């Protein structure tokens, strides 16, 4: 007895019905499109905009902490100035001014008007000041790593890069303390 295949019946919608429904959807969307408004609406900041602004503020605040430690402990200046310069560049990459903490903590600065928080207190011991900076770098790197999942591609890559740099800074700050 010869083996015969059962008649083939297409499963799912046919090509013609898909094209017809796509054309119908296009017509409906075209008919229901809103008219352009003459009134301009204020766009609320997106999550990415808010994250970018916060990252800039955080970097500027960290730069101010570096400046305060450099002012309080001048022998650490050679070690801390390159790290602080990187933090300032991070603030600029996020859209900040990068000028926070550019003056000694005892003098008035333009950043004081934008950041009402008082200048950071610096531990009296150099070792404690370095540990404090390392903790701040680690905490900020952890916050930025957590924020990666909530922002789009380019900002996520920037956050990841800056978080990695922050982790490296924390390592460099604690390496000499041992």
């Amino acid at each position: 007895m010869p083996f015969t295949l059962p008649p083939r019946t297409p499963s799912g919608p046919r090509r013609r019905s898909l094209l017809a429904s796509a054309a119908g959807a296009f017509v409906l969307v075209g008919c229901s499109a809103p008219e352009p408004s003459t009134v301009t609406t204020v766009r609320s900041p997106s999550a990415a905009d808010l994250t970018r602004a916060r990252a800039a503020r955080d970097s500027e605040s960290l730069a101010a902490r570096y400046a305060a430690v450099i002012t309080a402990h001048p022998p650490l200046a050679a070690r801390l100035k390159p790290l602080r310069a990187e933090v300032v560049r991070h603030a600029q990459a996020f859209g900040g001014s990068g000028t926070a903490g550019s003056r000694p903590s005892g003098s008035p600065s333009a950043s004081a008007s934008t950041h009402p928080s008082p200048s950071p207190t610096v531990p009296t011991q150099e070792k404690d000041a370095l540990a404090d900076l390392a903790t701040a770098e680690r905490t900020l790197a952890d916050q930025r790593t957590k924020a990666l999942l909530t922002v789009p591609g380019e900002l996520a890559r920037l956050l990841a890069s800056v978080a990695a740099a922050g982790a490296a800074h924390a390592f460099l700050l604690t390496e000499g303390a041992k």
Side-chain angles (χ1 to χ4, degrees), residues 96-142:
S97 65
T99 59
S102 60
R103 295 183 184 158
S105 60
S107 66
S109 68
S111 65
S113 63
T114 58
H115 299 290
S117 62
S119 61
T121 58
V122 178
T124 55
Q125 298 293 318
E126 288 181 2
K127 181 179 177 182
D128 295 337
L130 291 174
D132 199 35
L133 280 175
T135 300
E137 285 276 16
R138 256 188 242 103
T139 302
L140 195 51
D142 290 345

Side-chain angles (χ1 to χ4, degrees), residues 21 23-24 54 79 81 110 135 148-149 165 169:
S21 61
R54 179 177 181 198
R79 182 176 178 186
K81 281 185 179 180
T135 300
L148 289 175
L149 299 175
H169 289 182

Side-chain angles (χ1 to χ4, degrees), residues 15 51 61 143 153-154 175:
R15 192 177 348 171
T51 301
S61 175
Q143 288 174 358
E154 278 302 313
E175 179 184 275

